[in-house]
Amino acid sequence: MTFLKFILAMFLSFLPGILGIIVAPIQTGGNLWYNTLNQSMLTPPGWVFPVAWTILYFLIGLALFMVMQADNTKKYYTKTMAYWLFVINLILNTVWSFVFFGAHMPGVALLVLLALIITVIFMAREFFRINQASFWLIVPYILWLFFAFYLNAMIIILN
C-alpha cells in the first residue's frame, strides 16, 4: 500500500508537466512563439526548464507522499485542506501552461501564476502542520514560482 501511495503521489505531482508538454514542447526550441519573445537577460537556457521542473515535481511528489503517510490522528482537517490546496495547485499549474504557451496570453498567465503562488504558500503551510519535512520540500517550488513570476512579468514588459 505504501508503494502505491508513493506512485500515486508522484503521478499526481508530474501530471501538470505531462499535460503541459502538449502545449509547450520541451523548451529547447520546441515552442516557436516563446522563442520569438523578448526575454529577461536572467532567462536560463531552454534545457534548464525541463531539468528544474523534473526535480521540482519529484520534490512535490515526495512532499505529498509524506503528507499521505503522516498519522491521521488530530490532523484530518489539515490533511483535507492540504489535499484540496494540492489539487488547486495542480489545476493552476496546468492552466498556466495552457494560457501562456497555448493561448499566448502572458498577462492572464501572470494572474494565474499569482494565484498559484498564493495557493502553494497556503499548501506549504498546511504541509508544515502535518509534516515539517514536507514543507521544506515545497520551498524550492515556491522560490521557482517567484522566479517564474519575474520571467513572465518581464515578457509582458519587454513585449
Side-chain angles (χ1 to χ4, degrees), residues 6-16 18 90:
F6 180 78
I7 296 299
L8 176 63
M10 285 300 155
F11 173 76
L12 290 174
S13 70
F14 276 87
L15 193 56
I18 293 166
L90 290 179

Side-chain angles (χ1 to χ4, degrees), residues 37-41 150-159:
L37 296 173
N38 295 319
Q39 300 176 24
S40 164
M41 57 188 204
Y150 161 78
L151 294 176
N152 192 151
M154 288 305 293
I155 284 174
I156 294 168
I157 292 167
L158 296 173
N159 293 281

Side-chain angles (χ1 to χ4, degrees), residues 24-60:
I26 302 301
Q27 289 306 308
T28 55
N31 192 303
L32 183 59
W33 171 79
Y34 175 78
N35 292 332
T36 62
L37 296 173
N38 295 319
Q39 300 176 24
S40 164
M41 57 188 204
L42 296 180
T43 301
W47 65 266
V48 171
F49 293 98
V51 171
W53 277 110
T54 299
I55 293 167
L56 291 170
Y57 288 141
F58 177 79
L59 294 175
I60 295 164

Side-chain angles (χ1 to χ4, degrees), residues 18-94:
I18 293 166
L19 296 173
I21 288 174
I22 294 169
V23 278
I26 302 301
Q27 289 306 308
T28 55
N31 192 303
L32 183 59
W33 171 79
Y34 175 78
N35 292 332
T36 62
L37 296 173
N38 295 319
Q39 300 176 24
S40 164
M41 57 188 204
L42 296 180
T43 301
W47 65 266
V48 171
F49 293 98
V51 171
W53 277 110
T54 299
I55 293 167
L56 291 170
Y57 288 141
F58 177 79
L59 294 175
I60 295 164
L62 189 56
L64 177 62
F65 173 70
M66 294 169 85
V67 166
M68 293 166 79
Q69 288 294 103
D71 182 18
N72 283 338
T73 55
K74 300 180 184 174
K75 295 182 182 176
Y76 176 76
Y77 169 77
T78 303
K79 281 180 95 170
T80 301
M81 181 60 72
Y83 292 147
W84 276 111
L85 290 166
F86 183 82
V87 168
I88 294 168
N89 152 65
L90 290 179
I91 293 167
L92 290 173
N93 191 313
T94 303

